[in-house]
Amino acid sequence: MALRLFAILIALLLCHLLPQLARWRDERWFRAWAEKLSDSSGASRVAIVLLAPTMAVAILAGLLATTRFLDVLWLLLAVASLCYALGPGDLDRDIDAALQAVDPRDRDAAMARLSTDGEPIAWAAGPVVEATFFAALRRRFGVLFWFVLLGPAGAVLYRLAQALSFDVHIDIDARTRAAARRFAEALDWLPAHLMVFAMALVSDFDAVIGAWRRWHASAEHARGQLDPSFLGAVAHAGVDADIQAGDGVAQDVSDPLEELRDAKRVTHRVLAVWLALIAVLVLAGWAA
């Protein structure tokens, strides 16, 4: 677990300091691989497309982890897998580009880079906050969760599942795309909940948990489905409450710029909670 924490810290630092790493996230190989399997469709095609590269990384990581004196090589593989998966671009830089944009076209271009599903994002408080948190989930927290759970293979699996679900450049049939999105949403469900609980600690607890309960109590949301859509409603409620409580007086929560600034701050606090929790698990392992 200690090596995983070191790998996370190194990868986050590298991705922030070296934005040119985004050019290394070339997924043409994955598009070609996914399009080759046109003789299958649906869940079976999704399984084959994702299983082969994930198993290759898992086997390599397993060999390095079980061989003495190769911890450094495992760490290098872990950092490389995280740098690949924590993308496609740096989250904070894309948020800053939207915050600093003067021209509406530049702002819209920055917001388009935040979109995780290719859909345009309206410049309004609600859509901006929701897009920011889903970008944080799919670029950062989902990757970190599955990396901590499954190692480098988990990070790669999560990244490729997202690409297969939302990359419009991958030419696959509608049945396969739908199956890929269901699988990607299932991968999102647990880390999205952990984001909510961390948000409750660093923001307004009552607002966050109340929004989470209302979403799940709503009749329009089917029970038993692994649907991470609750994250948008919860994030909006938490950011609104955070802004209103900022200096003890009510603030305007309809300003997209202010909402985006606070959404960025809240995602940083959530990341700090996650890293602190992993550090506690490391210390507990050493003490055991």
Side-chain angles (χ1 to χ4, degrees):
M1 184 65 77
L3 279 179
R4 298 190 186 199
L5 177 58
F6 292 150
I8 289 171
L9 295 175
I10 293 170
L12 288 173
L13 185 63
L14 286 176
C15 290
H16 182 69
L17 297 179
L18 301 174
Q20 59 267 32
L21 287 176
R23 293 179 297 190
W24 297 357
R25 299 185 182 112
D26 189 345
E27 293 180 342
R28 285 178 294 182
W29 68 271
F30 181 64
R31 294 169 188 165
W33 163 243
E35 291 168 5
K36 278 183 180 179
L37 302 173
S38 56
D39 55 339
S40 58
S41 180
S44 61
R45 186 175 182 183
V46 171
I48 297 170
V49 168
L50 296 179
L51 188 61
T54 302
M55 286 303 298
V57 176
I59 291 171
L60 179 57
L63 291 173
L64 296 176
T66 56
T67 305
R68 297 181 66 182
F69 311 117
L70 292 182
D71 286 346
V72 173
L73 293 181
W74 187 94
L75 180 62
L76 290 175
L77 175 64
V79 171
S81 68
L82 283 171
C83 287
Y84 176 76
L86 290 167
D90 182 74
L91 177 65
D92 289 339
R93 289 179 184 272
D94 287 344
I95 294 175
D96 289 340
L99 289 172
Q100 298 166 6
V102 177
D103 188 282
R105 288 175 297 181
D106 294 338
R107 182 195 64 206
D108 291 343
M111 293 305 300
R113 291 195 294 273
L114 277 179
S115 176
T116 56
D117 57 7
E119 296 296 326
I121 301 170
W123 185 245
V128 163
V129 170
E130 293 176 15
T132 301
F133 274 83
F134 275 107
L137 168 65
R138 290 167 178 160
R139 292 193 195 185
R140 181 177 290 167
F141 294 102
V143 175
L144 297 182
F145 175 84
W146 290 107
F147 172 78
V148 170
L149 205 63
L150 301 176
V156 172
L157 171 65
Y158 182 83
R159 181 73 186 91
L160 296 182
Q162 293 297 323
L164 192 62
S165 300
F166 299 112
D167 189 345
V168 296
H169 300 295
I170 299 179
D171 186 14
I172 54 177
D173 61 279
R175 185 163 168 257
T176 301
R177 182 81 69 183
R181 291 201 174 184
R182 287 194 298 271
F183 180 66
E185 287 179 350
L187 293 180
D188 279 337
W189 193 78
L190 278 175
H193 272 91
L194 291 180
M195 286 180 68
V196 167
F197 299 145
M199 204 187 315
L201 295 177
V202 301
S203 183
D204 188 298
F205 185 91
D206 291 336
V208 169
I209 298 302
W212 178 78
R213 287 175 174 169
R214 286 192 298 273
W215 191 94
H216 283 284
S218 174
E220 64 187 72
H221 300 130
R223 295 180 181 273
Q225 289 188 354
L226 301 181
D227 183 0
S229 301
F230 60 85
L231 181 62
V234 173
H236 194 193
V239 169
D240 282 357
D242 201 52
I243 291 175
Q244 290 175 328
D247 56 4
V249 295
Q251 299 291 318
D252 181 12
V253 295
S254 63
D255 182 1
L257 276 176
E258 187 58 37
E259 292 266 309
L260 184 57
R261 288 192 191 96
D262 197 75
K264 179 183 176 182
R265 289 192 290 266
V266 173
T267 59
H268 285 176
R269 295 178 208 156
V270 171
L271 179 60
V273 170
W274 277 43
L275 294 178
L277 177 59
I278 297 172
V280 168
L281 294 176
V282 171
L283 293 174
W286 284 346

